[in-house]
Amino acid sequence: MKGRTFALFVAPSLAMMLIFIALPLASVFWQSFHETRAVVTRTEVESCTPGFLAPTCTRETRTVPRIGADGRPVTETVFVGLDVYRRVLQTDAVAKALGAGGGGLSAILGIDFWKALRFTLTFTLITLPLVIGLGLLIALAVNNLVKALRGPAIFITLLPFIITPVIGALSIRWLFLGDGILTRAIEWVLARDISMFAQGWTIEIMMLIYKVWHVAPFAFVVFYAALQTVDQDTLESAIVDGASRLERLRYVVIPHLMPLIVFVALIHLMDSYRVFDEIVGFSAQAHVLSLQYLTYSFLTPDETGNRAVARAAASSMLTMIGIVILLVPLLMRTWRTHRSARRG
Amino acid sequence: MATTRTLAHPLWLKLTSNGFLMLWLVAAIFPLLWITLMSFRAPVDALSAHPLDVIFGKTTFDHYKAVWVTHGFWRNFLNSLMITAGVVTISLTVGTLAGYALARANSNLAFWLLIMALVFRALPHSVLVTGYLPPFLNSRELLAPLWESGLTGWLFRLFSDMPPTLYGQPWAIILVLVAINQPFTIWMMRSFFMNIPTELDEAARVDGCTHFGAFWRVIMPVMWPGVITTGLFSFLLAYNDYLVTALLLDAQSQTMVPAISQFLNRDTRASDQIEAIAAAVSITAPLFLLVMVFQRQIVSGLTAGAVKG
């Protein structure tokens, strides 16, 4: 394909990505170093109260927002360097926590950003192996099923995957909420009263269960599709060579699936790093924070209608740095394969 | 056949495999089944401590009526419908063209485009929304020069007299979601096109087709499974989105998923909670139909293309 035709075919897609992804990215980068504040003037005001002999006068300097011609406060945008980052990371509080008697790590994990980072990372790394393992098991089990029942089994398995994440989280939450059926089941097993929403760790466990329930079907579809293309000749020769069932799985099937396991891991890494809908669905923001939720809460207008855009920008940039670090090993690998492929 | 016998599974394996699968299937469908049941019950039965009350309680449609009629959920439904349809159409059109070109080009440029798309795919959406929000709120002032300049003004004034405020505009959200979706779409489309032999294009070109002609008359007709699978993923992204729509749309143009939070934040009465459940089931129903219709395409589509890339 010639350069010109290639350009014509790619142009619309590229234009959309540049305008709506690259440009906002650049603007977020810029915003994270700037802050918009109301312009204030310091005026010295003398206020006097009538008194005996002479009025008592006090002088004080007040800051008054300057009002522009259109009746709205005048704002200015100034470069503040790393100030906003410092406020998001709360470096002072971290330094204090690390100092003598500051509370150490547990105190740091109480600070919003670090709390969000801790949760996002553990959430991503714990769900990853569980999703791949469960997806693989379901794929093998469906593959063993008699042909007639496979259709319905696939249909039911796909349901948790296509359901809206917020709704999926809500539906799990409702099973536990108050006297929900699963809470009662656990109470019956443990023979004691429990409340699943009173503390952070039970909510986190429910979110982990929800995420695995939601994503395992995706891993299943991909693995199941690939199981259909396992080379039967290799399998048969493995049998002739006396390989046991487990060995066939280990040395024939898993290597065949390997590129797809990497693919699913990659997609899951990206998606679970974005954990957000789960927090909305479980109404967990009082106990659990994620990086995306932190940015979201900065962007939501507060009581006075202000959005903390600068802080949102700084926390966005930090979120982005995190995902890039997670992806670097993978990108390096792709680059190496591409280069060796081109060399022939 | 001998091979089928040696490949056949011993009984214990069959039992464990099927038992495990049964367990999973119950876990997969139970939450959805249960909330669907709850949504049809009066609050007394739905929130009762006895499961049997939920199963055999009296059926009522009151909550659905309250959600759709009293709280005007139909408006959110129409918004969702419009945004999803827009995203799927534009996303597929733009993505198919790019995916085709990327599959047929073997240049360094194409490789870097794909890597860039991969990085874009990884961006958390909150990062992008932070970038959109300030310009969307002030777009009237930002876009004013385009409307006032002699060069472009006449063109833009054909559409509206004043530059629009993008915040709360459904079509602006459609463009945003298409862009967010583009990286995944072009990767997926590319891997589908990779499976279609180049000889097919070449034959068409020899017969005198242009590049676009070959693409449109010869390649597209064999591409439908890929288009449907990719379209489904676009549909899910647009329909299920919470973050982008919650922050960039106002109350009138709100879609269904963010709109459900109005029911959640207000659960003071018992019936409010069941109304939230009814709204949740309403959102899920179209997705349910979608899987029912396209299940075969999802699996065969993935077998055919995407998973090999």
Side-chain angles (χ1 to χ4, degrees):
Chain A
M1 188 175 264
K2 280 202 222 74
R4 226 179 85 85
T5 341
F6 177 73
L8 278 176
F9 270 80
V10 176
S13 173
L14 190 64
M16 299 232 36
M17 286 196 285
L18 288 181
I19 297 175
F20 288 101
I21 301 182
L23 201 65
L25 218 55
S27 113
V28 171
F29 182 72
W30 186 86
Q31 278 170 40
S32 68
F33 296 104
H34 291 77
E35 204 163 12
T36 305
R37 20 174 116 130
V39 180
V40 290
T41 38
R42 293 177 153 269
T43 46
E44 206 155 295
V45 190
E46 197 186 57
S47 50
C48 295
T49 40
F52 184 62
L53 292 179
T56 344
C57 287
T58 46
R59 291 182 145 272
E60 55 177 345
T61 42
R62 277 199 202 148
T63 49
V64 187
R66 196 190 297 159
I67 308 294
D70 56 352
R72 284 190 293 179
V74 183
T75 56
E76 60 174 354
T77 304
V78 285
F79 178 77
V80 292
L82 290 174
D83 258 16
V84 191
Y85 285 92
R86 227 168 275 141
R87 261 188 294 147
V88 171
L89 293 169
Q90 302 198 7
T91 38
D92 300 346
V94 172
K96 209 175 116 200
L98 287 175
L105 196 62
S106 64
I108 293 178
L109 293 181
I111 304 167
D112 279 355
F113 177 81
W114 301 99
K115 192 172 152 187
L117 182 68
R118 199 275 306 157
F119 173 71
T120 308
L121 288 181
T122 45
F123 186 78
T124 308
L125 297 178
I126 293 176
T127 49
L128 182 63
L130 293 177
V131 163
I132 290 178
L134 185 63
L136 193 58
L137 284 179
I138 302 170
L140 290 171
V142 172
N143 210 31
N144 287 346
L145 206 62
V146 283
K147 278 233 161 61
L149 289 177
R150 285 188 196 178
I154 293 174
F155 173 69
I156 295 176
T157 302
L158 283 178
L159 285 179
F161 170 59
I162 52 106
I163 194 174
T164 312
V166 177
I167 307 296
L170 275 172
S171 69
I172 305 264
R173 172 169 171 238
W174 280 318
L175 298 183
F176 286 102
L177 199 63
D179 262 341
I181 177 162
L182 289 187
T183 303
R184 287 186 46 83
I186 299 174
E187 283 176 346
W188 182 73
V189 171
L190 298 180
R192 51 176 284 215
D193 262 1
I194 53 163
S195 172
M196 296 296 282
F197 291 92
Q199 56 278 317
W201 65 273
T202 40
I203 299 181
E204 274 185 41
I205 290 177
M206 281 189 295
M207 289 166 97
L208 290 176
I209 293 174
Y210 158 73
K211 191 68 181 181
V212 174
W213 177 78
H214 176 60
V215 190
F218 171 68
F220 153 78
V221 184
V222 174
F223 295 153
Y224 177 75
L227 279 180
Q228 311 310 309
T229 59
V230 173
D231 187 9
Q232 292 302 317
D233 291 345
T234 321
L235 264 188
E236 275 167 32
S237 40
I239 294 170
V240 172
D241 289 348
S244 75
R245 213 164 278 283
L246 205 63
E247 282 167 338
R248 286 197 311 257
L249 183 69
R250 169 83 182 72
Y251 295 106
V252 181
V253 179
I254 301 277
H256 175 74
L257 294 181
M258 210 50 209
L260 299 171
I261 293 177
V262 173
F263 167 74
V264 170
L266 173 67
I267 296 279
H268 181 70
L269 208 65
M270 292 174 176
D271 286 349
S272 63
Y273 187 77
R274 290 191 192 134
V275 48
F276 169 79
D277 300 48
E278 291 79 2
I279 294 183
V280 176
F282 280 101
S283 301
Q285 53 274 41
H287 297 283
V288 184
L289 268 184
S290 75
L291 290 173
Q292 272 225 104
Y293 198 90
L294 190 69
T295 310
Y296 172 81
S297 63
F298 285 141
L299 285 177
T300 322
D302 59 11
E303 295 87 7
T304 53
N306 288 321
R307 301 167 196 259
V309 176
R311 264 180 295 164
S315 86
S316 294
M317 288 313 291
L318 293 167
T319 311
M320 211 180 80
I321 293 170
I323 189 68
V324 169
I325 290 175
L326 285 179
L327 283 182
V328 159
L330 202 116
L331 291 179
M332 301 278 280
R333 213 192 86 146
T334 322
W335 169 236
R336 274 199 300 271
T337 358
H338 170 74
R339 223 174 29 181
S340 60
R342 280 181 66 82
R343 279 210 195 111
Chain B
M1 282 197 307
T3 46
T4 14
R5 252 197 44 211
T6 35
L7 278 175
H9 303 292
L11 187 67
W12 67 267
L13 190 70
K14 255 186 201 158
L15 284 180
T16 357
S17 167
N18 291 349
F20 164 75
L21 194 61
M22 270 315 289
L23 218 66
W24 159 254
L25 292 180
V26 170
I29 204 169
F30 177 73
L32 306 177
L33 210 62
W34 196 252
I35 64 166
T36 311
L37 267 177
M38 280 172 91
S39 69
F40 287 110
R41 300 285 175 261
V44 194
D45 289 330
L47 300 176
S48 150
H50 264 286
L52 288 182
D53 286 344
V54 182
I55 298 171
F56 297 111
K58 221 166 81 62
T59 303
T60 161
F61 292 92
D62 289 356
H63 309 301
Y64 283 96
K65 212 176 131 199
V67 168
W68 284 84
V69 182
T70 320
H71 296 302
F73 208 57
W74 58 270
R75 224 173 289 125
N76 304 116
F77 175 75
L78 289 182
N79 290 331
S80 275
L81 201 68
M82 188 173 74
I83 287 185
T84 313
V87 170
V88 172
T89 327
I90 302 179
S91 205
L92 285 179
T93 318
V94 175
T96 312
L97 288 171
Y100 175 67
L102 288 169
R104 291 296 180 253
N106 191 23
S107 59
N108 255 332
L109 182 66
F111 171 78
W112 283 112
L113 274 178
L114 283 166
I115 289 295
M116 186 185 82
L118 189 73
V119 174
F120 284 167
R121 167 72 174 67
L123 287 183
H125 301 163
S126 62
V127 177
L128 299 173
V129 177
T130 312
Y132 300 136
L133 204 53
F136 269 41
L137 289 168
N138 305 323
S139 64
R140 179 153 290 181
E141 288 143 49
L142 290 175
L143 293 176
L146 283 179
W147 260 257
E148 279 152 20
S149 96
L151 215 59
T152 51
W154 62 273
L155 178 70
F156 286 107
R157 259 180 258 124
L158 287 179
F159 297 104
S160 70
D161 292 337
M162 291 273 285
T165 299
L166 294 175
Y167 177 80
Q169 294 283 352
W171 59 264
I173 304 311
I174 291 179
L175 291 182
V176 165
L177 287 174
V178 167
I180 289 180
N181 203 11
Q182 231 7 248
F184 188 71
T185 313
I186 61 177
W187 266 91
M188 202 142 170
M189 278 302 187
R190 172 180 169 268
S191 55
F192 278 115
F193 281 120
M194 296 282 263
N195 286 337
I196 295 175
T198 340
E199 287 80 14
L200 213 57
D201 315 31
E202 279 157 12
R205 301 268 289 151
V206 169
D207 288 349
C209 272
T210 59
H211 248 298
F212 186 77
F215 164 76
W216 185 245
R217 291 186 200 180
V218 182
I219 307 293
M220 276 319 278
V222 288
M223 264 299 286
W224 287 114
V227 172
I228 290 174
T229 314
T230 316
L232 271 171
F233 279 96
S234 306
F235 183 99
L236 289 180
L237 179 115
Y239 188 85
N240 289 345
D241 177 81
Y242 182 97
L243 184 68
V244 176
T245 41
L247 284 171
L248 295 181
L249 287 175
D250 50 22
Q252 285 94 46
S253 52
Q254 200 53 272
T255 53
M256 286 199 282
V257 178
I260 199 174
S261 59
Q262 62 170 319
F263 297 102
L264 294 177
N265 299 336
R266 222 191 22 164
D267 53 3
T268 41
R269 292 178 301 137
S271 64
D272 283 341
Q273 212 191 332
I274 315 296
E275 276 169 25
I277 296 178
V281 175
S282 310
I283 295 174
T284 313
L287 292 172
F288 190 83
L289 288 177
L290 199 75
V291 186
M292 219 131 98
V293 175
F294 288 114
Q295 185 211 61
R296 199 172 289 272
Q297 270 81 7
I298 300 179
V299 179
S300 72
L302 284 170
T303 326
V307 298
K308 284 182 201 149

